[in-house]
Amino acid sequence: MATVPRASLLGIPPELRLQIYDSLFDEDVDYNVIKRWTGSFQEGSFSTSPMRNPEARLMLPWLSAMLSCRTIAHEMQSLMRDHKEGDSKYTTYVMAAELGNGGDDVRDVTWRRLPCAPSDAEVLIIECGAESDDFEPWGDGGPRNIVRSMYQTLNLFLHCGPRLDPTKPLPSGHVHLRELVVNVRMRGEIRQYFSMSGEPVKFSRSAYTLIRDMILRPLCYTGLLVGYVDRAVISDGKEESEMPLKAERGGVPEHWHRYGFEWGVGDVGVAR
């Protein structure tokens, strides 16, 4: 009786293997890493802590294939190097975050695309979904928790990678992005406001203006993103703003510390 040859990935032509590898990098993920952030106030200082999703599991088809054998790993790494300059899909991370109605905090932080290791990531796209409602950035005593939680979500990614776990910082120190893109998508109609004279007032407290003015602009102005991000852009589908980055890193201003805007992982709430 003739024996049937055993099927093997390495037994098919190389050009077919490359097509398979390429499709693996195209696979979307659904990694809901954080369910929400919680804020607290103790001893005169505000803080925010991530509530992790205990059921979330990070499964990356391309990584599983790369770990299967050295030959496949070498071929996949060569494919990434050959296409890295011409196709950003190999180096672009995509995150989705829900800002809710009015925005008490950031909820359901979910990764949609993770096609490479954090050290190779060049672009981070954050898709923010929000209700068309007021986003009040400042409450009694300081910034509301949504401002702190957005700030710390970005902070944890840059220092800890896609797991956003402050107990496990990246061995390399931090991620360095060529571009940070924030896309804000509003649901429903934006409410119209009127002045005392009856003239319409421009809606200025949307999620778009909140992230632009309370998150990106301060981060760029203080120089905190120097060495982390080369270019920062925010868009709401109609308007786009590029945030000029200060050339020198100045660090977190002293008066920010008690508001939960620590930079790095040392003082961020422990993930649960």
Side-chain angles (χ1 to χ4, degrees), residues 47-121:
S47 64
T48 186
S49 301
M51 295 185 65
R52 303 180 64 80
N53 182 0
E55 300 178 355
R57 298 291 183 271
L58 180 56
M59 302 294 292
L60 300 175
W62 64 266
L63 182 58
S64 298
M66 192 173 287
L67 294 176
S68 62
C69 78
R70 291 183 178 178
T71 301
I72 292 177
H74 176 74
E75 289 181 342
M76 294 183 73
Q77 290 168 354
S78 297
L79 176 67
M80 291 180 68
R81 285 194 299 268
D82 292 342
H83 291 80
K84 185 176 180 180
E85 298 298 328
D87 193 342
S88 61
K89 77 175 184 179
Y90 295 96
T91 57
T92 297
Y93 279 23
V94 179
M95 172 196 289
E98 180 61 42
L99 305 185
N101 186 13
D104 291 330
D105 56 26
V106 175
R107 300 168 183 262
D108 289 325
V109 178
T110 302
W111 288 105
R112 299 302 186 198
R113 290 187 62 82
L114 293 169
C116 63
S119 57
D120 294 322

Side-chain angles (χ1 to χ4, degrees), residues 207-220:
Y208 170 78
T209 56
L210 172 67
I211 298 173
R212 183 192 64 191
D213 298 339
M214 298 295 292
I215 305 296
L216 291 182
R217 185 165 287 157
L219 282 171
C220 295

Side-chain angles (χ1 to χ4, degrees), residues 27-48:
E27 288 286 329
D28 291 338
V29 298
D30 185 19
Y31 180 43
N32 179 219
V33 58
I34 291 179
K35 295 302 294 181
R36 65 171 295 178
W37 288 79
T38 59
S40 62
F41 180 76
Q42 294 179 345
E43 299 179 356
S45 296
F46 293 89
S47 64
T48 186

